[in-house]
Amino acid sequence: MRLFELAAVAAYGACWGSFLNVVVWRLPREESLVTPRSRCPRCGKAIAWHDNIPVLSWLQLRGRCRGCRKPVPARYPLVELATALLTAALWLRWPGRPLWAAAAAVCAGALLAVALIDWDTFLIPDELSLGLVVAGLLVSPLNPYMDPGPWGEWWRAPWWSLRGALIGFFLGWGLAAAGEWWLKKEAFGGGDVKLLAGIGAWTGGVGAYDALLLGSFLGAAYSVFLLARGRLNRADPIPFGPFLAASAVFNLFRLLPFGWPLL
């Protein structure tokens, strides 16, 4: 029964990942997420339901469109698989909290979409960053990171979520202002600031601070790697959203003690 339950949860995650592929493709292009139905980006042929089963359809068709036989990027099944694994892992991480685990899986998927869009376009859509702020406030009574007080008052959780969003926003805003003053150019984009607010709404001020530190470390390590390989110049920008998003997903599993001043 436990294995069947986990398989069902993973299937839910894979379906969520399939929708995220639509979000990643259409949102930067300002297209509707609902209509028209999914189509091959090469030949424009609508994809039948039996060819749109997460991961399995791509494998069955050997990574090609049924209509034009052109290759379908491996990113699509990888996003579906990654979301399925994240959803299952969050279900295992938070036993006895099914509603929170489901909400955290939605958050993790949205962060994955943020990472991919920012990687492709150097933009973080407000629909995702500000959407995370609103969603974090709405689900805060379920959130184990939000302090309900000694008597379990549910109404205290939205305050802690809002506090985390504000801490995240002002941390990002302060870093952006300091970087622009010191470097005379944008060092921390407005999309990153709003994303940090969204992270704070879900994981509190500690989570926002942790994500900023861990994301900075990951971004610096990646930059050093590219510089050492000669694939990046010092003046070349890299998107910071993917590293913030990765750190925030980690926060959904566990908070590190980096943000202890904000406890």
Side-chain angles (χ1 to χ4, degrees):
M1 179 61 72
R2 181 68 172 173
L3 187 60
F4 175 79
E5 180 182 277
L6 195 59
V9 168
Y12 154 76
C15 293
W16 174 225
S18 181
F19 178 71
L20 291 176
N21 280 321
V22 176
V23 172
V24 170
W25 176 262
R26 297 189 183 186
L27 196 57
R29 295 167 174 81
E30 299 183 352
E31 299 176 3
S32 170
L33 302 181
V34 180
T35 58
R37 57 185 293 184
S38 297
R39 298 176 180 272
C40 172
R42 298 179 184 271
C43 67
K45 182 178 179 180
I47 299 175
W49 70 266
H50 52 80
D51 288 337
N52 208 22
I53 300 172
V55 181
L56 299 179
S57 290
W58 189 89
L59 294 173
Q60 192 268 329
L61 292 170
R62 298 184 180 181
R64 294 183 178 274
C65 169
R66 186 183 294 275
C68 64
R69 304 306 299 166
K70 294 291 181 62
V72 176
R75 174 193 275 191
Y76 292 106
L78 288 176
V79 168
E80 294 163 352
L81 181 60
T83 313
L85 293 175
L86 278 173
T87 303
L90 285 164
W91 186 268
L92 293 173
R93 169 62 182 90
W94 299 105
R97 292 179 177 266
L99 293 179
W100 164 247
V106 171
C107 177
L111 289 166
L112 178 58
V114 164
L116 293 173
I117 292 173
D118 195 27
W119 191 268
D120 292 339
T121 67
F122 281 83
L123 294 172
I124 298 177
D126 287 348
E127 292 88 343
L128 292 175
S129 57
L130 298 182
L132 282 171
V133 174
V134 175
L137 289 168
L138 291 176
V139 305
S140 58
L142 306 172
N143 193 332
Y145 291 144
M146 303 302 156
D147 182 12
W151 306 106
E153 304 98 327
W154 67 267
W155 49 265
R156 289 170 57 99
W159 155 244
W160 283 97
S161 177
L162 177 61
R163 176 180 179 270
L166 291 173
I167 289 174
F169 178 82
F170 285 110
L171 277 174
W173 180 82
L175 184 61
E180 189 168 354
W181 174 79
W182 181 261
L183 300 174
K184 307 302 180 185
K185 63 179 182 180
E186 184 180 272
F188 199 75
D192 298 321
V193 174
K194 287 175 275 192
L195 175 59
L196 204 56
I199 294 170
W202 281 83
T203 56
V206 174
Y209 188 81
D210 284 356
L212 182 58
L213 261 64
L214 185 57
S216 298
F217 173 78
L218 293 175
Y222 178 72
S223 297
V224 169
F225 172 76
L226 291 184
L227 286 169
R229 298 287 299 272
R231 296 168 57 186
L232 183 74
N233 296 319
R234 291 183 180 274
D236 292 340
I238 63 168
F240 189 46
F243 305 105
L244 270 182
S247 303
V249 169
F250 180 86
N251 284 348
L252 293 173
F253 289 91
R254 184 173 303 278
L255 291 179
L256 296 174
F258 296 154
W260 64 266
L262 303 173
L263 288 174

